[in-house]
Amino acid sequence: MMQPGDVLIQIEDLTKVFYTDEIETHALSGVHLAVNKGEYVAMSGPSGCGKSTLLSIIGLLDTPTAGRYFLNGKPVENLDFAERARIRNQEIGFIFQSFNLIGDLTVYENVELPLTYRQRMPSAERKKRVMEALERVGMAHRLRHYPSQLSGGQQQRVAVARALAGHPSILLADEPTGNLDSRNGEAVMELLANLHKDGATICMVTHDPRFAKHAQREVHLFDGKVVAEEELKKLMAEVQV
Amino acid sequence: MNGLIQDIRYALRQLRKNPGFTAVAVTTLALGIGANTAIFTVVNALLLKMLPVTSPQRLIAVGDPTNVNAESSGTPQTDIFSYPLYKELRDSNSVFSGLCAAASDHHIEVETGEEQSANESVTGRMASGNYFNVLGVQPAAGRLFSSSDDRDENANPVVVLGYDYWQRKFAGSSSVIGKDVRLNGFPFTVIGVAPAGFEGDVVGERMALFVPLSMQPEIVRGRHWRNSPHVSWLLLIGRLKPGITPAQAEANLNLVFQQALRGNYGATLTADDMREIRDNRIAVSLGGVGLSDLRGDYRTSLLLLMGIVGLVLLIACVNVANLLFARASRRNREIAIRLAIGANRGRLLRQFLSESILLALLGGGAGSLLAIWGVRLLVGMFGSGTILPLAPDWRVLAFTTGVSVIAGILFGLFPALQTLRVHVSPALKDAGRATAEKSSRFGLGKGLIAGQIALSLLVLFSAGLLLRSLQNLLKQDLGYDRTRLVIARVDAVSAGYTSEKMKQLAEQLVARLRNTPGVRAATYSKNGLFSGSQSAKEIIVPGFNTDNPDDRIATTDNVGPDYFRVVGMHVVAGRGIEARDTETSARVAVVNEAMVKYFFSGQNPVGRQFTIDDPDSRDKPITVVGISHDAKVNSLRDPVKPRIYLPFQQIPDPRQIVLEAQVAGSPSAVVSNVLGQIKATDSHLPIRFVNTLDQLVNDSAASSTALAKLSGFLAGLALLLACVGLYGVMSYTVAGRTREMGVRMALGARRSDVMAMIVREAMLLVAAGLIVGVPLALLGGRVLNSFLFGLKTTDPLSLITVLLLLTTVAVLAGLIPARRAAKVDPMVALRYE
Ligand SMILES: Nc1ncnc2c1ncn2[C@@H]1O[C@H](COP(=O)(O)OP(=O)(O)OP(=O)(O)O)[C@@H](O)[C@H]1O
Ligand SMILES: [Mg+2]
């Protein structure tokens, strides 16, 4: 069993290059990162610096061009699609900027969705997990509603519940407040803070320095590299000149 | 008007802007409309088109207009007519300005006297002198014969050529007028040429020449039919006097008929004849469409095909409607803007409909081209000599245009109304997140697909039933081996053989055939197997009592020695007809099992006697000497009827000879040998046909075969269209749900999960379609009842087969979009647009 403080994510010298129409984009070049179990990490940096790319590699949505990635101590960069789908399903909970609830499914069904991709989970167990997750985000009273009948803040809370339902090792959030007004944004941030207090490991991309403060640790990215805060300020100042 | 032109211009621009959409829609419609046009062209030619004569709508057919090429001797008839009865009707009616008569077609040997042109056998008709006059036909050259050319028997050796024959044989030269030609060896003078396009009054046949009825003894030599009330050989066409209705004509003709029975005509009839026809009513029908026996065979089949092809068009319309739905949702913004700046919805609706009707007309145009090819396939369903007036006329044009416009409104209206339901504000804000919006706005399209599946199941099931019936029909046990016989039919009457000579001829022909290479055994008969000829007689069986003479009818054949052994019919008791059964020996008969069952209540009749119920035969009892196994002899469909086989040599007038040759190897290889032997016996003997029995049997099922094959073809088309529709809708929904697929995969769905989901959705549509479709198909199957053979309208095997076929093909159609869905990059979930 892992204890708090154990390394959950270990990334070494990671690079990601996109090739489009003969143009090479070095989205990540030589990133080192370690996230411990129970940690709450915020990632920030200017637009296009590679935050989403890094998050998608951490979330096994994408594969690195080079470098090593250990999740729970196991190398994952060369797994096949089905194996990665299984790990996404069991170890990772996603929260997206645009909520990404499925319009044809009710709140309940949306939260249940990741559990339906899990083999042999009894429906009673599924129901228990869904209800727990929805209660956790305060949306249990809206089971039968469709996403279009909810406000943005409510949709994002349902999305958080969906990420929680599978009891993942880590929650990954890409600008979870990007589509919300500040009041609703605060509420979601508070929710994440509470989840962290109860032991969740969270990796969140955000632009907003106010929200970054919720995290224990802030990782700054610049042009595909992790940089120290002072260095980032210096680089940003250079860019502005 | 201005608005309309503007609409059309706008519609054209829209169609040009989306060439892919336009191409797919036009192709789909072309298939649907083209199939309709093709079948309608044939329906039009056979059932609707008027003869190219003066005011064809005033012509009335008297008798049974499908009973062309029938001749009957014995009891007088009123569906075809004897010459004396025709004369009575012609001279005493008060409803027609003229009533003409024509005989069945005859094969006529033509000698032009020119050295290089060989004798030729053509199809010609004998017609009354007033024939051309009543029909209102003008000559293309020379003159046409008239009543004065048709007075005394044998006194009018004149011939009118058919236009095509004139062109082909005489290169359209007018120098042929006045020339002599020999018809069946007798000299005739060419007096004129019938106009182009006029093929006679029988649809489906092209007459090479016409001769007056009074020349019958030269065309059918040695017979004198003109004065006999007992030979029925004429079909009649009358031209209504102004103001007379068909109903009045019918009433008047029957009045004349009853008067004739009481007058001179009746005096020539026997008491039996009187009893038979006293209560008959002469039927009339509209004659402008001409007479046709094909019409009887193909009418219901063609109407059924018309129904099936209508369903296919409906399926095609659903596809185009769905394309429009898909496009409409892409045009939401455009429409919202138009509405916002004050366009009125009615005006927009008109614009959309102009566009879809234009699309349909383009489809109709392309379909007409396909139809040309389709019609060529369709005429294959009729016999090879059939010539139908297939050139498209205003009716075909109107049909195609009408069908196109209706189709355009059908597939255009719903998508147009749907589009106009757009709400102005949200569409303009364009804030909807694809995933958060319910996709049920495409529900109608999916509903249509389910309906389409239901319709294609109906079409498939119908085709399945017809194909299985055909298989049952062709594969049944006929009671003998159909693969070992060659059949020939010769017209000895036309060649002038008397009864006595004909009996000798039959023996001579068989003697020659027996020595023909490849032939193992041979015999002859009057009707034989699938020769197109049949006979029936009322009989009297002691101990079998019934009031209705129709209940005492048995079919008959007159057969030569060894008939049963040669054709391979089993004699189950007693003996067959043998060489010892001569004209002078005791009168004997072999009867079939159906006869034993019906007339002898299943008791062994060998040794018992019966008589044929006509004045010449009543005093000549016939002794049953054998029982033959039941066999199908002239129809694959009809159940075996009671049948009597009498010795050919014992009957007074056999009228024709059908030869049967049993062959050792392949029968088709022997056909030409048989033909050669007949010619060697008498080179002037008209040969109706020489063919393998197998081919004759298949020909007898030609209309069933054609119907089954065509419905199978249309079912394939329906299946294809339905699957394209399913594929289209699934592709469209998948394309609109890329993000959803990405999210599902981000949440841990494997590719197989996503594929299974899309296939499941497709299958749900199919299932919905089948839930509606199965009862629909079972209901529709009932319409087919009269077309089926050897299976029920609810045949489970057909149903299961088409269900499996439909489902399999639907799964394949669903798999392509499903695979596309599974290829979505899960990264799209992270992208924010
Ligand atoms: N699929 C792709 N193909 C090509 N280039 C890509 C692709 N995805 C990202 N990039 C490029 O990689 C770089 C990093 O992109 P990324 O989305 O990670 O930035 P980001 O830090 O998330 O920016 P933002 O704050 O605007 O979301 C950018 O230059 C981007 O254009
Ligand atoms: Mg980003």
Side-chain angles (χ1 to χ4, degrees):
Chain A
M1 273 296 349
M2 273 206 171
Q3 297 302 313
D6 286 352
V7 178
L8 183 64
I9 289 168
Q10 173 95 35
I11 282 173
E12 294 166 4
D13 202 15
L14 196 80
T15 54
K16 177 71 184 177
V17 185
F18 291 108
Y19 301 92
T20 36
D21 301 335
E22 295 154 29
I23 301 169
E24 283 186 19
T25 312
H26 291 261
L28 298 172
S29 21
V31 170
H32 292 269
L33 181 70
V35 177
N36 289 338
K37 178 126 181 91
E39 226 184 339
Y40 186 171
V41 178
M43 291 194 269
S44 58
S47 181
C49 68
K51 305 182 293 291
S52 295
T53 305
L54 180 57
L55 202 70
S56 69
I57 292 174
I58 295 174
L60 296 182
L61 291 179
D62 209 349
T63 47
T65 311
R68 313 241 44 203
Y69 172 17
F70 301 89
L71 180 64
N72 271 333
K74 281 176 225 120
V76 293
E77 65 275 359
N78 291 324
L79 296 176
D80 69 9
F81 192 94
E83 191 58 21
R84 288 194 293 143
R86 193 187 60 78
I87 295 176
R88 278 203 297 274
N89 183 262
Q90 297 189 343
E91 308 287 344
I92 292 159
F94 278 105
I95 302 161
F96 306 98
Q97 175 175 357
S98 43
F99 325 144
N100 279 343
L101 297 179
I102 289 166
D104 288 334
L105 303 181
T106 61
V107 163
Y108 181 93
E109 289 164 337
N110 263 291
V111 177
E112 193 189 24
L113 194 57
L115 305 181
T116 61
Y117 294 128
R118 212 169 270 194
Q119 252 91 54
R120 288 191 301 273
M121 179 179 276
S123 68
E125 170 73 6
R126 280 212 302 264
K127 186 165 179 189
K128 202 180 111 228
R129 296 245 199 139
V130 172
M131 292 313 295
E132 262 174 25
L134 279 170
E135 265 154 31
R136 193 75 186 75
V137 302
M139 288 298 295
H141 58 300
R142 290 295 185 92
L143 294 181
R144 314 240 162 276
H145 283 67
Y146 285 94
S148 56
Q149 298 165 318
L150 302 178
S151 75
Q154 287 170 328
Q155 287 192 38
Q156 193 59 306
R157 273 148 67 195
V158 173
V160 172
R162 182 175 64 184
L164 289 175
H167 295 176
S169 306
I170 185 165
L171 287 177
L172 300 180
D174 194 352
E175 311 224 17
T177 59
N179 270 5
L180 297 175
D181 60 26
S182 59
R183 204 169 54 81
N184 275 313
E186 281 293 351
V188 168
M189 278 303 144
E190 212 153 291
L191 185 57
L192 290 182
N194 286 334
L195 288 171
H196 171 239
K197 223 181 288 162
D198 294 348
T201 313
I202 301 175
C203 221
M204 175 179 74
V205 168
T206 182
H207 265 116
D208 195 324
R210 285 180 299 142
F211 294 146
K213 293 286 177 293
H214 284 278
Q216 285 172 309
R217 177 153 73 99
E218 214 176 327
V219 173
H220 301 283
L221 279 177
F222 189 86
D223 208 7
K225 289 187 188 73
V226 177
V227 294
E229 192 171 355
E230 304 77 61
E231 198 178 342
L232 179 73
K233 282 187 184 141
K234 210 172 78 196
L235 288 165
M236 293 291 278
E238 277 171 26
V239 170
Q240 244 120 64
V241 173
Chain B
M1 197 60 218
N2 226 340
L4 186 66
I5 290 170
Q6 208 184 324
D7 280 350
I8 291 174
R9 199 174 296 146
Y10 178 77
L12 276 173
R13 193 173 337 129
Q14 283 294 325
L15 295 181
R16 222 177 306 133
K17 232 169 54 186
N18 302 294
F21 161 84
T22 307
V24 172
V26 168
T27 309
T28 306
L29 289 166
L31 286 172
I33 298 174
N36 273 270
T37 301
I39 291 185
F40 182 78
T41 304
V42 177
V43 167
N44 182 42
L46 194 59
L47 305 181
L48 302 175
K49 217 176 211 178
M50 293 285 179
L51 296 174
V53 299
T54 311
S55 308
Q57 64 282 356
R58 300 295 295 162
L59 294 178
I60 291 291
V62 180
D64 178 357
T66 67
N67 212 359
V68 298
N69 296 338
E71 278 167 22
S72 145
S73 62
T75 310
Q77 285 181 256
T78 53
D79 52 349
I80 48 178
F81 300 89
S82 66
Y83 190 80
L85 182 52
Y86 159 60
K87 238 173 31 187
E88 293 281 348
L89 296 175
R90 181 189 67 193
D91 298 338
S92 306
N93 82 76
S94 56
V95 288
F96 294 129
S97 58
L99 179 66
C100 65
S104 67
D105 61 357
H106 278 89
H107 295 260
I108 299 173
E109 294 272 324
V110 184
E111 293 165 65
T112 57
E114 258 132 66
E115 281 179 22
Q116 59 277 64
S117 75
N119 290 4
E120 190 182 10
S121 178
V122 301
T123 309
R125 284 189 93 187
M126 294 176 276
S128 57
N130 60 356
Y131 181 72
F132 295 109
N133 193 12
V134 169
L135 293 179
V137 176
Q138 300 305 318
R143 66 177 184 91
L144 303 173
F145 57 70
S146 64
S147 298
S148 59
D149 295 306
D150 192 27
R151 291 259 152 76
D152 301 315
E153 192 160 286
N154 274 359
N156 312 289
V158 293
V159 55
V160 169
L161 303 179
Y163 189 86
D164 280 292
Y165 183 62
W166 180 50
Q167 291 292 330
R168 184 165 59 77
K169 187 81 183 174
F170 303 100
S173 156
S174 55
S175 68
V176 75
I177 311 287
K179 262 181 74 173
D180 278 356
V181 293
R182 294 179 89 84
L183 304 184
N184 285 351
F186 194 87
F188 280 73
T189 307
V190 176
I191 56 167
V193 180
F198 179 80
E199 324 273 19
D201 55 324
V202 175
V203 178
E205 291 181 10
R206 175 177 288 166
M207 290 304 138
L209 42 86
F210 302 85
V211 299
L213 279 182
S214 55
M215 295 309 292
Q216 173 270 319
E218 300 310 326
I219 299 300
V220 186
R221 292 224 304 272
R223 305 287 152 147
H224 296 272
W225 290 346
R226 227 159 78 109
N227 297 319
S228 167
H230 291 109
V231 182
S232 303
W233 55 303
L234 300 172
L235 273 169
L236 316 184
I237 291 183
R239 181 173 290 280
L240 289 173
K241 282 182 180 165
I244 302 289
T245 66
Q248 288 168 326
E250 183 179 352
N252 181 255
L253 282 177
N254 280 289
L255 189 72
V256 172
F257 173 54
Q258 290 301 329
Q259 282 165 353
L261 285 178
R262 273 178 259 120
N264 289 340
Y265 168 72
T268 63
L269 302 182
T270 66
D272 285 325
D273 296 338
M274 267 307 204
R275 183 166 47 80
E276 282 296 326
I277 66 167
R278 205 170 40 204
D279 299 326
N280 282 10
R281 271 195 79 74
I282 296 173
V284 309
S285 52
L286 293 178
V289 290
L291 315 175
S292 177
D293 52 349
L294 293 175
R295 211 175 280 150
D297 290 352
Y298 286 91
R299 190 169 186 281
T300 46
S301 300
L302 280 172
L303 295 181
L304 181 69
L305 281 174
M306 221 47 243
I308 292 178
V309 87
L311 291 178
V312 171
L313 179 59
L314 216 54
I315 292 171
C317 282
V318 170
N319 277 4
V320 181
N322 271 329
L323 284 174
L324 285 171
F325 271 126
R327 204 183 52 157
S329 51
R330 262 179 274 133
R331 265 166 89 176
N332 272 355
R333 249 179 100 75
E334 176 207 325
I335 304 306
I337 291 168
R338 283 171 178 275
L339 289 173
I341 60 175
N344 116 1
R345 282 178 202 258
R347 180 80 184 68
L348 282 178
L349 180 64
R350 215 179 78 189
Q351 202 171 73
F352 289 143
L353 282 184
S354 326
E355 197 182 320
S356 49
I357 290 173
L358 190 70
L359 201 59
L361 287 173
L362 285 176
S368 299
L369 296 180
L370 284 182
I372 294 173
W373 168 79
V375 164
R376 241 176 259 157
L377 279 186
L378 274 169
V379 289
M381 78 194 244
F382 304 101
S384 50
T386 308
I387 292 143
L388 288 174
L390 290 167
D393 57 1
W394 64 268
R395 229 186 249 106
V396 174
L397 190 69
F399 174 85
T400 305
T401 313
V403 162
S404 303
V405 169
I406 290 170
I409 293 172
L410 263 182
F411 69 70
L413 194 59
F414 288 109
L417 289 176
Q418 177 95 353
T419 312
L420 291 176
R421 280 216 323 248
V422 149
H423 295 292
V424 180
S425 46
L428 285 185
K429 271 195 278 172
D430 198 23
R433 295 262 66 77
T435 34
E437 228 171 72
K438 280 187 76 178
S439 59
S440 62
R441 66 202 149 87
F442 208 61
L444 190 50
K446 287 184 168 171
L448 284 176
I449 291 294
Q452 200 180 32
I453 299 279
L455 289 180
S456 28
L457 180 68
L458 173 60
V459 175
L460 277 170
F461 182 58
S462 305
L465 288 177
L466 292 171
L467 284 164
R468 288 245 302 134
S469 290
L470 179 66
Q471 201 183 22
N472 289 345
L473 204 59
L474 295 178
K475 291 276 160 351
Q476 67 183 312
D477 178 15
L478 298 181
Y480 49 87
D481 186 353
R482 59 183 264 196
T483 63
R484 293 192 314 160
L485 290 169
V486 169
I487 310 286
R489 179 171 160 186
V490 297
D491 191 357
V493 169
S494 289
Y497 280 85
T498 62
S499 302
E500 243 7 84
K501 286 264 166 59
M502 202 187 291
K503 289 177 189 171
Q504 288 164 16
L505 175 67
E507 286 289 345
Q508 284 165 16
L509 285 167
V510 164
R512 268 185 178 276
L513 284 185
R514 284 202 188 107
N515 294 323
T516 305
V519 174
R520 224 194 261 159
T523 188
Y524 55 90
S525 61
K526 178 181 177 191
N527 296 318
L529 303 172
F530 290 87
S531 69
S533 156
Q534 41 189 316
S535 316
K537 296 231 155 57
E538 280 168 28
I539 59 168
I540 298 168
V541 177
F544 180 87
N545 299 311
T546 171
D547 292 336
N548 187 351
D550 286 351
D551 292 341
R552 303 191 268 114
I553 291 178
T555 64
T556 65
D557 200 357
N558 308 308
V559 302
D562 252 5
Y563 179 79
F564 297 96
R565 196 179 57 77
V566 173
V567 301
M569 269 184 217
H570 210 55
V571 175
V572 295
R575 66 172 177 92
I577 302 297
E578 294 172 4
R580 64 170 135 146
D581 300 314
T582 62
E583 198 156 6
T584 50
S585 69
R587 293 181 39 100
V588 297
V590 171
V591 299
N592 71 354
E593 291 166 322
M595 170 103 178
V596 173
K597 206 161 146 211
Y598 184 79
F599 284 101
F600 297 98
S601 8
Q603 310 279 302
N604 185 349
V606 172
R608 287 178 64 180
Q609 293 193 320
F610 66 93
T611 45
I612 289 170
D613 191 9
D614 71 41
D616 299 336
S617 311
R618 246 172 244 149
D619 55 344
K620 298 179 188 117
I622 299 167
T623 307
V624 176
V625 294
I627 303 172
S628 73
H629 189 45
D630 277 347
K632 297 218 166 176
V633 292
N634 50 35
S635 160
L636 287 175
R637 218 170 256 278
D638 296 343
V640 175
K641 293 184 190 120
R643 192 166 185 82
I644 302 168
Y645 297 92
L646 302 166
F648 193 93
Q649 297 293 342
Q650 285 187 352
I651 50 163
D653 183 5
R655 296 178 54 80
Q656 65 174 14
I657 302 171
V658 173
L659 298 162
E660 292 88 14
Q662 193 197 98
V663 302
S666 149
S668 50
V670 179
V671 165
S672 63
N673 289 354
V674 170
L675 192 71
Q677 292 298 338
I678 297 171
K679 287 204 165 135
T681 311
D682 176 358
S683 62
H684 286 288
L685 187 62
I687 300 169
R688 281 293 186 98
F689 63 80
V690 181
N691 210 337
T692 64
L693 176 61
D694 209 40
Q695 189 59 46
L696 292 174
V697 170
N698 286 341
D699 287 353
S700 81
S703 76
S704 299
T705 307
L707 179 64
K709 284 188 177 161
L710 280 169
S711 62
F713 174 76
L714 291 175
L717 193 58
L719 183 64
L720 179 74
L721 287 173
C723 286
V724 167
L726 181 68
Y727 164 79
V729 163
M730 292 317 295
S731 298
Y732 179 73
T733 57
V734 164
R737 284 160 63 187
T738 314
R739 195 176 181 82
E740 178 193 325
M741 303 305 153
V743 171
R744 283 176 182 271
M745 287 193 214
L747 296 177
R750 288 161 301 172
R751 295 200 195 281
S752 55
D753 291 323
V754 172
M755 262 179 82
M757 176 180 79
I758 298 299
V759 171
R760 207 180 310 122
E761 281 179 25
M763 284 305 102
L764 223 58
L765 289 183
V766 174
L770 294 186
I771 286 170
V772 183
V774 168
L776 192 68
L778 291 176
L779 221 68
R782 290 202 202 161
V783 177
L784 298 177
N785 199 11
S786 64
F787 294 96
L788 300 189
F789 183 83
L791 46 79
K792 294 215 192 76
T793 60
T794 54
D795 183 46
L797 186 61
S798 303
L799 188 61
I800 290 169
T801 311
V802 298
L803 281 176
L804 281 179
L805 179 68
L806 186 58
T807 319
T808 312
V809 179
V811 168
L812 294 179
L815 264 176
I816 304 168
R819 286 188 51 164
R820 205 173 303 144
K823 284 209 187 101
V824 166
D825 184 350
M827 284 286 292
V828 296
L830 279 180
R831 244 163 252 144
Y832 169 71
E833 72 260 34

